[in-house]
């Protein structure tokens, strides 16, 4: 509907074709930024649907390295969408979103996320470690979990990660025995 500024693509190939008509660079970046924000706003509302949030993440994360537009919003959005994805057992999507959220924080120049955005950084690391361990990606989950353990300020912040790592170690040993 052009009058209401609501757009929907009937098929992924139609979406790809519409992108192909746009020049690479700023025009496409602005379009994806606008589309991603609109989809997120609609998807977050009472009338919204979950697929809109996943589509908004796809749009906004695709331009992450091209834009410096509000990385805190991108990080928080990806944490939120990652949590929703994990609730419906969409672990791959949850992982992608959370990693993109952490990447957004790390893109901020002269910025140590563990200092300036401690709670958000802690939640992203914990969420990434948990979902990677659930996916059976033990090396990645351990790496992120160990980084969290090094940077966490208190035992209370570390305990959930110790628990996740211990449970994953048990699953990893059972998996190795089954082979």
């Amino acid at each position: 509907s052009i009058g209401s500024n609501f757009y929907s693509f009937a098929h992924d190939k139609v979406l790809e074709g519409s992108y192909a008509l746009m020049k690479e660079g700023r025009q496409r970046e602005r379009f994806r930024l606008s589309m991603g924000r609109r989809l997120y706003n609609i998807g977050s509302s009472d009338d919204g649907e979950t697929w809109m949030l996943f589509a908004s993440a796809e749009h906004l994360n695709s331009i992450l390295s091209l834009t410096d537009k509000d990385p805190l919003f991108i990080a928080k959005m990806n944490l939120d969408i990652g949590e929703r994805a994990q609730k419906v057992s969409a672990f791959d999507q949850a992982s992608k979103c959370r990693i993109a959220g952490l990447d957004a924080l790390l893109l901020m120049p002269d910025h140590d996320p563990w200092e300036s955005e401690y709670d958000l950084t802690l939640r992203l690391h914990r969420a990434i470690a948990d979902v990677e361990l659930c996916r059976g990606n033990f090396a990645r989950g351990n790496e992120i979990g160990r980084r969290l353990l090094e940077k966490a300020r208190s035992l209370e912040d570390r305990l959930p990660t110790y628990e996740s790592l211990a449970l994953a170690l048990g699953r990893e040993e059972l998996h190795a025995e089954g082979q």
Side-chain angles (χ1 to χ4, degrees):
S1 168
I2 301 221
S4 68
N5 289 330
F6 181 76
Y7 306 96
S8 176
F9 295 99
H11 192 279
D12 287 346
K13 293 296 180 188
V14 176
L15 174 65
E16 290 173 19
S18 66
Y19 285 148
L21 296 173
M22 279 186 251
K23 292 181 189 173
E24 291 282 337
R26 286 296 197 204
Q27 181 184 11
R28 189 178 294 182
E29 180 183 338
R30 281 193 305 273
F31 172 78
R32 293 204 82 166
L33 180 63
S34 173
M35 183 68 73
R37 283 191 181 269
R38 285 181 185 179
L39 283 168
Y40 184 76
N41 290 335
I42 294 168
S44 298
S45 72
D46 292 338
D47 298 330
E49 296 181 35
T50 304
W51 71 264
M52 294 174 170
L53 297 174
F54 294 133
S56 72
E58 183 179 325
H59 281 286
L60 294 170
N61 293 338
S62 72
I63 60 168
L64 193 57
S65 62
L66 299 175
T67 184
D68 57 358
K69 306 280 193 261
D70 203 357
L72 286 178
F73 166 76
I74 301 291
K76 290 174 185 176
M77 176 206 68
N78 276 293
L79 179 61
D80 174 44
I81 294 171
E83 287 171 354
R84 292 172 191 242
Q86 188 160 346
K87 283 180 185 174
V88 295
S89 300
F91 297 115
D92 289 344
Q93 183 71 28
S95 176
K96 279 190 232 178
C97 286
R98 291 166 174 171
I99 289 170
L102 187 57
D103 288 346
L105 284 181
L106 297 175
L107 282 175
M108 296 172 68
D110 302 324
H111 175 79
D112 179 5
W114 284 105
E115 290 299 319
S116 58
E117 294 297 329
Y118 177 79
D119 290 335
L120 179 59
T121 306
L122 178 72
R123 287 182 61 205
L124 279 166
H125 274 79
R126 185 176 296 145
I128 293 168
D130 287 348
V131 77
E132 291 302 320
L133 294 171
C134 284
R135 292 174 66 214
N137 190 349
F138 300 115
R140 178 80 169 147
N142 275 315
E143 173 192 335
I144 297 291
R146 301 247 178 248
R147 187 179 321 151
L148 182 149
L149 294 175
E150 288 174 15
K151 300 285 190 169
R153 294 179 182 163
S154 69
L155 180 60
E156 185 178 303
D157 289 345
R158 290 183 187 99
L159 279 177
T161 302
Y162 279 128
E163 182 180 7
S164 292
L165 290 172
L167 289 171
L169 182 60
R171 285 193 306 266
E172 187 176 22
E173 287 175 4
L174 288 174
H175 179 71
E177 287 176 10
Q179 290 182 344

